[in-house]
Amino acid sequence: MAKISINIATGSLQQAEMIVGIDLGTTNSLIAIIHPESKQAVALQEHDSSSLVPSVIYFDELQNAIVGDVAKQYLETSPQNTIFSAKRLMGKSYQDVQQNEDFFSYKIIDDNTESLVKVQVGNKFYSPIELSSFILKELKNRAEHILKTPVTKAVITVPAYFNDAQRQATRDAGKLAGLDVLRIINEPTAASLAYGIGTTVQEAEQTIAVYDLGGGTFDMSILKINHGIFEVLSTNGNTYLGGDDFDKSIIDYWLAQHNITATTFKEDKQLSQGLRLRAEEAKKHLSNADNYQTNYQNFSLSINKETFEKLIQPLIDKTLACCANAVKDANISINEIDTIVMVGGSTRVPLVNKCVSNFFGKTVNNSVNPDEVVALGAAIQADILAGNNKNFLLLDITPLSLGIETMGGLMDVLIPRNSKIPSKVARQYTTQKDGQGSMRISVYQGERDLVKDNRKLAEFNLTNIPGMPAGLPKVEVSFMVNADGILKVKAQELRSGVEQTIEVKPQYGLTDEEVEKMLMDSITHAKDDIATRALVEAQTEGEQLLSTTEKFITKHAAQLTKEELTATAQAMQALQLSLTMNDKNLIQTKTEELNNISKPYAERIMDNAISQAMKGKSV
Ligand code: AMP
């Protein structure tokens, strides 16, 4: 797909609904459209400049936000006022980023460990959503300038492992930038679309591996595409591995060669910046040549391809280990993968292509510009949304189970992990107390049986439930996950119609490592969880029986014999005691004993009531 610069002020373009595709990247961002004449996806660029806009924001003395190449120049000279990698902070709490704090040279605020992070520049505070919105606004302005038409609608891509919070944050950033975000799609899905994979419903089923090695991150995704429907089978990767590490390995090689200590390198900012730039230049040069040589200060800096490849082999091996894990998680074998799609600037390194190709035993797809492939795919998706390809649907899966808290702090899963989205599930619940006027709905995400081990996403009260005996109200809780992976929860009391809805904007997000840890924990604790669930269920049943027996006795004491009353009191006391002992079997035995005692007289009294009623008396 050719990259062209568009400067069209034609009527046809202005009349048509312009929906752009945006790749909001960690290092670079860009915007693409379907060319109205050629019908090809093209990245927008102004004249001879690059289509890539560095995802860097510099705040000047007046706190004006400057985005892109100009901002990038301030990374070294004004690190406190220059924000990079804002994408890494999207939907994250301070706790989430704490372990990688050294990575950021600007100030990340810790006011409340569970709230979302903010970045401090001077005396102002910015959320990652605002920071991303500055980048999106810059892209929107550029596009409007090039296309000479307002740009208000967009499809934005996110990594496949982004959770609800991160997707919502991306959507909010779009809104803040004045964009109506029609859809959030996964980056690997977009990359596949750019290769024309999955663009028609007639296509046979295919399994695709998307290998995305950028400047600072590596993502591996395995997708299944069936008749135009995309499904993410698994994701893997490393959020701190990329082309920057290739550069670092060259720098380390030069430092050793010229006896420059790590301290000198760190303290001499000019030297470190100079070497960094030349290392990147060397790396890019070696993608097409066998030797690199330059003079810098008093140093003759050189490296040949063979040495470079030796240096980066361990880094490539790390990515291949992630590929192996992704294949395993997708429950497939390597030879079931039909196509490999290469994404990200670092896939220009020939050794990367060779190793990935060897690993999968197939030639890789790398003909589309790896920096633009995601944005081009987003533009294709935008075109589909504009109504140009109706037989098309994008489908993803939920990475973690979604559910609500029920009696005893148990997790009741409504949407299991790996469910296809969009998805809608409804389940009925009822009240525990007579006349209960409200019901609290707590929404959780995770795989453990007890909600305390999962992550709370939201909580709300369904109020104004009309007074009814316990167990009579029918409260239907429905979970709807839309195509962007955003969850809407509705609770409705069906007899009265009262309802309450909430769109889940989680308080804080999860990193992909945490998602993995939560899955691992659920496996490690599976046995404990089953035992705990059984105990909690037994306790809940015991408590309910105590409560109903008590009510029954108060109401019908006159119709019970003295022996029955004594036996019941004793059995209730024994059950009460067992509830404090965390012994499921004991609780079940005591519950059964109380049941055996109360059942005969309960039946007798009910029979009496029925025969009284038959005689025309009220129950
Ligand atoms: P991305 O994050 O996808 O924009 O990728 C940026 C990374 O790709 C940076 O580490 C660049 O140095 C690297 N890169 C760009 N062009 C080349 C090239 N020709 N050869 C090797 N690496 C490259």
Side-chain angles (χ1 to χ4, degrees):
M1 271 164 228
K3 191 163 69 183
I4 58 159
S5 120
I6 298 186
N7 195 337
I8 321 164
T10 61
S12 69
L13 191 61
Q14 279 169 10
Q15 279 158 19
E17 189 176 39
M18 179 51 68
I19 310 177
V20 297
I22 295 179
D23 172 5
L24 181 61
T26 310
T27 325
N28 293 305
S29 298
L30 70 156
I31 195 159
I33 62 157
I34 298 296
H35 191 287
E37 278 143 27
S38 72
K39 308 285 179 214
Q40 293 287 304
V42 288
L44 295 181
Q45 60 177 153
E46 240 157 333
H47 306 296
D48 293 333
S49 66
S50 161
S51 59
L52 302 184
V53 177
S55 306
V56 182
I57 309 134
Y58 165 68
F59 291 94
D60 67 12
E61 304 83 58
L62 300 170
Q63 293 278 334
N64 293 314
I66 297 158
V67 175
D69 287 309
V70 177
K72 206 175 164 183
Q73 290 165 15
Y74 289 94
L75 275 175
E76 285 288 327
T77 54
S78 192
Q80 293 277 338
N81 302 316
T82 314
I83 315 302
F84 62 94
S85 283
K87 185 174 176 177
R88 291 184 191 271
L89 303 175
M90 287 293 255
K92 299 277 179 80
S93 71
Y94 180 72
Q95 259 173 1
D96 295 328
V97 290
Q98 215 171 10
Q99 69 260 42
N100 294 313
E101 216 180 1
D102 286 350
F103 176 85
F104 303 97
S105 52
Y106 45 85
K107 199 161 173 171
I108 295 173
I109 294 306
D110 163 28
D111 49 355
N112 166 353
T113 50
E114 280 207 359
S115 67
L116 295 173
V117 287
K118 286 218 168 200
V119 167
Q120 186 177 0
V121 182
N123 55 7
K124 277 201 151 181
F125 300 91
Y126 297 97
S127 68
I129 295 174
E130 286 171 283
L131 294 169
S132 298
S133 81
F134 291 129
I135 300 169
L136 292 170
K137 186 113 191 92
E138 171 70 19
L139 292 171
K140 173 175 148 68
N141 289 343
R142 278 188 192 211
E144 289 178 341
H145 188 241
I146 296 169
L147 299 168
K148 310 262 186 281
T149 183
V151 170
T152 56
K153 295 188 164 144
V155 168
I156 305 182
T157 60
V158 294
Y161 60 78
F162 254 32
N163 65 11
D164 297 339
Q166 294 165 305
R167 284 165 200 266
Q168 186 62 49
T170 307
R171 184 175 271 276
D172 289 348
K175 213 182 281 169
L176 214 53
L179 290 168
D180 181 7
V181 182
L182 298 184
R183 182 114 5 140
I184 299 281
I185 68 164
N186 288 328
E187 289 161 9
T189 299
S192 306
L193 287 174
Y195 275 97
I197 302 164
T199 46
T200 60
V201 286
Q202 291 83 11
E203 234 171 71
E205 184 176 304
Q206 281 195 69
T207 308
I208 318 282
V210 181
Y211 180 101
D212 181 351
L213 188 61
T217 55
F218 170 62
D219 293 322
M220 176 69 204
S221 315
I222 298 187
L223 314 174
K224 194 165 90 188
I225 302 165
N226 195 1
H227 299 298
I229 298 175
F230 281 71
E231 210 180 310
V232 180
L233 296 183
S234 67
T235 64
N236 212 292
N238 187 329
T239 40
Y240 289 91
L241 175 65
D244 298 349
D245 298 288
F246 292 0
D247 304 350
K248 255 180 240 141
S249 67
I250 300 179
I251 294 171
D252 289 342
Y253 171 72
W254 285 340
L255 293 183
Q257 253 190 351
H258 296 281
N259 292 322
I260 306 169
T261 65
T263 323
T264 310
F265 175 74
K266 207 172 162 197
E267 284 169 4
D268 187 341
K269 293 278 175 237
Q270 203 190 349
L271 175 74
S272 48
Q273 174 71 349
L275 289 181
R276 217 171 266 138
L277 285 176
R278 278 152 190 86
E280 190 183 7
E281 187 179 87
K283 170 187 75 177
K284 290 184 179 173
H285 183 76
L286 293 175
S287 289
N288 299 304
D290 291 334
N291 289 293
Y292 173 85
Q293 201 282 321
T294 190
N295 293 320
Y296 175 65
Q297 292 185 352
N298 294 326
F299 308 110
S300 160
L301 304 173
S302 68
I303 186 165
N304 63 30
K305 195 170 190 162
E306 198 189 330
T307 311
F308 172 63
E309 292 190 337
K310 263 196 206 124
L311 292 174
I312 62 165
Q313 187 66 57
L315 298 168
I316 299 177
D317 290 344
K318 268 194 195 177
T319 69
L320 298 179
C322 294
C323 295
N325 285 333
V327 172
K328 200 167 108 224
D329 288 352
N331 257 330
I332 54 170
S333 63
I334 285 185
N335 52 23
E336 281 176 71
I337 291 170
D338 303 297
T339 311
I340 301 118
V341 168
M342 302 298 269
V343 181
S346 299
T347 61
R348 288 204 179 86
V349 174
L351 184 67
V352 170
N353 282 278
K354 195 172 133 199
C355 292
V356 175
S357 179
N358 284 345
F359 178 84
F360 287 103
K362 282 196 177 69
T363 322
V364 299
N365 279 277
N366 58 3
S367 57
V368 178
N369 179 334
D371 294 320
E372 294 182 349
V373 62
V374 168
L376 297 176
I380 294 170
Q381 171 63 15
D383 194 46
I384 292 161
L385 290 177
N388 299 335
N389 189 347
K390 289 199 176 69
N391 299 327
F392 198 81
L393 179 70
L394 287 177
L395 205 76
D396 282 328
I397 57 162
T398 53
L400 290 168
S401 302
L402 296 162
I404 66 167
E405 175 175 0
T406 55
M407 288 273 284
L410 288 178
M411 171 90 170
D412 195 25
V413 171
L414 277 99
I415 300 185
R417 70 180 284 259
N418 285 344
S419 294
K420 292 183 176 96
I421 55 176
S423 159
K424 188 180 170 195
V425 175
R427 195 168 294 165
Q428 281 185 17
Y429 299 88
T430 190
T431 49
Q432 291 157 26
K433 291 195 190 107
D434 290 340
Q436 192 176 325
S438 75
M439 194 170 182
R440 189 189 307 161
I441 314 287
S442 304
V443 183
Y444 285 84
Q445 182 177 39
E447 305 313 308
R448 302 286 300 276
D449 276 358
L450 291 181
V451 291
K452 73 173 176 53
D453 298 319
N454 292 330
R455 306 220 31 182
K456 190 191 246 173
L457 295 179
E459 191 169 81
F460 66 101
N461 278 317
L462 176 66
T463 51
N464 297 325
I465 301 175
M468 281 182 254
L472 204 56
K474 282 187 182 174
V475 177
E476 186 179 83
V477 175
S478 45
F479 273 35
M480 285 152 283
V481 183
N482 71 13
D484 300 337
I486 291 165
L487 172 68
K488 219 182 232 175
V489 180
K490 185 169 108 177
Q492 184 181 33
E493 201 289 300
L494 299 176
R495 294 181 194 277
S496 59
V498 291
E499 66 169 66
Q500 187 89 31
T501 303
I502 194 171
E503 185 161 309
V504 175
K505 287 190 179 179
Q507 282 299 295
Y508 49 93
L510 294 169
T511 61
D512 46 337
E513 286 89 359
E514 278 169 315
V515 170
E516 210 166 90
K517 185 171 179 299
M518 286 173 81
L519 295 179
M520 281 310 292
D521 281 353
S522 73
I523 296 165
T524 326
H525 296 289
K527 238 176 152 177
D528 297 348
D529 276 10
I530 292 169
T532 314
R533 177 176 279 271
L535 174 66
V536 172
E537 279 172 354
Q539 281 168 335
T540 308
E541 200 189 336
E543 275 161 13
Q544 275 174 335
L545 182 64
L546 277 176
S547 154
T548 45
T549 311
E550 183 143 18
K551 268 193 262 173
F552 193 87
I553 298 271
T554 315
K555 203 168 165 193
H556 303 286
Q559 298 173 60
L560 296 175
T561 66
K562 207 172 158 211
E563 290 73 35
E564 281 168 339
L565 283 172
T566 315
T568 306
Q570 277 169 356
M572 282 176 73
Q573 214 172 20
L575 175 56
Q576 189 81 54
L577 186 68
S578 75
L579 287 176
T580 60
M581 290 199 278
N582 287 344
D583 179 343
K584 183 202 75 177
N585 292 339
L586 182 68
I587 298 170
Q588 281 175 333
T589 311
K590 295 296 160 199
T591 303
E592 212 177 307
E593 281 174 14
L594 176 57
N595 248 329
N596 290 341
I597 289 168
S598 58
K599 211 171 154 198
Y601 62 70
E603 278 171 5
R604 188 183 75 225
I605 291 167
M606 292 318 290
D607 286 350
N608 280 346
I610 291 165
S611 58
Q612 295 273 357
M614 306 270 277
K615 285 179 205 154
K617 290 184 182 174
S618 70
V619 178

